[in-house]
């Protein structure tokens, strides 16, 4: 899975809560496009399928409510269900 941005500032990152994951936001409209976190030399991520065009070939949608999970429980869940080896554009766009 790869997140790509053709213009500088098109993809912005934001951290909240435990600051373990990085939320990926559209730099123009602010929609949440996906989320990533780094673990053991790999980057894991999930995409907001609602911002994709057409009928993406993805698995079933999963409702996420992490507010009641500890940081360790969140990370364990991410390792189980998020896609490994995500590629992000360089920080300068």
């Amino acid at each position: 899975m790869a997140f790509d941005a053709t213009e500088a500032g098109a993809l912005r990152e934001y951290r909240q809560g435990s600051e373990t994951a990085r939320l990926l936001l559209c730099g123009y409209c602010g929609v949440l496009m996906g989320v990533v976190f780094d673990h053991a030399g790999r980057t894991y991520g999930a995409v907001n399928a609602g911002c994709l065009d057409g009928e993406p070939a993805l698995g079933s949608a999963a409702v996420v409510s992490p507010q009641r999970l500890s940081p360790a429980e969140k990370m364990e869940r991410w390792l189980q269900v998020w896609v490994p080896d995500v590629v992000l554009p360089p920080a300068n766009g």
Side-chain angles (χ1 to χ4, degrees), residues 1-19:
M1 178 170 72
F3 286 94
D4 193 12
T6 57
E7 298 177 26
L11 185 65
R12 298 192 183 263
E13 292 186 9
Y14 175 76
R15 290 180 189 254
Q16 71 178 69
S18 67
E19 296 191 7

Side-chain angles (χ1 to χ4, degrees), residues 4-36:
D4 193 12
T6 57
E7 298 177 26
L11 185 65
R12 298 192 183 263
E13 292 186 9
Y14 175 76
R15 290 180 189 254
Q16 71 178 69
S18 67
E19 296 191 7
T20 306
R22 295 175 287 157
L23 304 177
L24 304 175
L25 308 170
C26 173
Y28 300 106
C29 69
V31 71
L32 174 66
M33 297 170 57
V35 61
V36 295

Side-chain angles (χ1 to χ4, degrees), residues 32-51:
L32 174 66
M33 297 170 57
V35 61
V36 295
F37 90 105
D38 299 310
H39 178 74
R42 298 174 86 180
T43 300
Y44 292 79
V47 65
N48 175 3
C51 69

Side-chain angles (χ1 to χ4, degrees), residues 26-80:
C26 173
Y28 300 106
C29 69
V31 71
L32 174 66
M33 297 170 57
V35 61
V36 295
F37 90 105
D38 299 310
H39 178 74
R42 298 174 86 180
T43 300
Y44 292 79
V47 65
N48 175 3
C51 69
L52 299 175
D53 289 333
E55 297 285 331
L58 301 173
S60 300
V63 176
V64 179
S65 182
Q67 293 85 0
R68 295 188 176 145
L69 300 177
S70 71
E73 290 170 321
K74 289 177 191 178
M75 189 177 298
E76 183 60 34
R77 176 184 164 92
W78 299 339
L79 288 170
Q80 291 174 10

